[in-house]
Amino acid sequence: MTILQTCPECGCWEYAGAPDCTRCAALIDALVADGWQRFLTESGFEPGFRPDDEQAVAAMVAEEPDRHPWRVVDAALDRLTCPDCGSRWSRGPAGCPACDLADGHRYAAIEVDRAGVPPGNEHAIRVNVAVVRRAHAHSPAEVLTRRAILPALLAGALPTIAEAQRIGVLAKRGITYAELAPMVAELAERAPTGVEP
């Protein structure tokens, strides 16, 4: 019995329909937004503080990504506007100098694996989330691979290097999401129980 849930909007495993499925994209954005809310609460910010104050906090986090968890850094970038292209910072078009630089700086942020998951699981989630949220800057095969595997990662699984490479090769050869979904379910079956996204 699989621990994955089907998205009622797109029919993919939840999260895997992004970026095209609005519901799956919102679930991925919530992973980041929830980290931001926890950070604000733990930092002593009162609910409902002014948007200008939130933007100032976001700018501070973006300037020191190595001092914050990746979900907080990604959420901070979501709250800032790119000075070059006007998009959410780091999510603009490929080739935008400021977005490309911010996209690279996000990887200085802290990664802490959740309790009970294999070491490296949080890094894998982070990379997959970053690719799916900036899908226009990556090849269709890369996006397919990252979005397909994400539900299993969130369940706490971690593919071996060989498994991840095999899925990547299959995606480059034109495998469809529907053909990848059973492999992802099999991967998720190996996940530890009771892991929260």
Side-chain angles (χ1 to χ4, degrees), residues 74-153:
D74 279 21
L77 293 172
D78 284 349
R79 284 153 178 77
L80 300 171
T81 302
C82 173
D84 289 348
C85 72
S87 298
R88 284 194 234 175
W89 207 7
S90 82
R91 302 221 5 222
C96 169
C99 282
D100 288 348
L101 185 62
D103 186 54
H105 283 174
R106 79 167 17 110
Y107 290 99
I110 299 167
E111 298 171 345
V112 178
D113 285 313
R114 296 164 294 154
V117 301
N121 174 269
E122 192 68 13
H123 175 72
I125 291 171
R126 169 200 218 171
V127 172
N128 288 24
V129 166
V131 168
V132 173
R133 291 179 91 215
R134 195 175 187 220
H136 59 276
H138 301 278
S139 73
E142 178 76 6
V143 174
L144 174 60
T145 300
R146 299 299 183 169
R147 75 180 181 89
I149 294 175
L150 184 57
L153 297 173

Side-chain angles (χ1 to χ4, degrees), residues 6 9 14 18 25 52 57 62-63 83 93 118 120 122 132 140 146 172 174 183 189:
T6 302
E9 192 171 301
E14 284 185 329
D52 288 349
V57 172
E63 287 180 17
E122 192 68 13
V132 173
R146 299 299 183 169
K172 287 177 184 171
M183 290 182 225
E189 292 292 339

Side-chain angles (χ1 to χ4, degrees), residues 24-117:
C24 287
L27 288 171
I28 291 174
D29 286 344
L31 293 172
V32 173
D34 291 349
W36 180 252
Q37 289 307 314
R38 276 192 304 279
F39 166 73
L40 292 178
T41 300
E42 291 167 3
S43 298
F45 291 98
E46 298 294 324
F49 74 107
R50 294 179 330 147
D52 288 349
D53 293 338
E54 186 173 23
Q55 199 164 30
V57 172
M60 180 267 309
V61 168
E63 287 180 17
E64 48 186 32
D66 58 323
R67 297 187 61 199
H68 303 282
W70 76 267
R71 295 176 197 225
V72 173
V73 172
D74 279 21
L77 293 172
D78 284 349
R79 284 153 178 77
L80 300 171
T81 302
C82 173
D84 289 348
C85 72
S87 298
R88 284 194 234 175
W89 207 7
S90 82
R91 302 221 5 222
C96 169
C99 282
D100 288 348
L101 185 62
D103 186 54
H105 283 174
R106 79 167 17 110
Y107 290 99
I110 299 167
E111 298 171 345
V112 178
D113 285 313
R114 296 164 294 154
V117 301

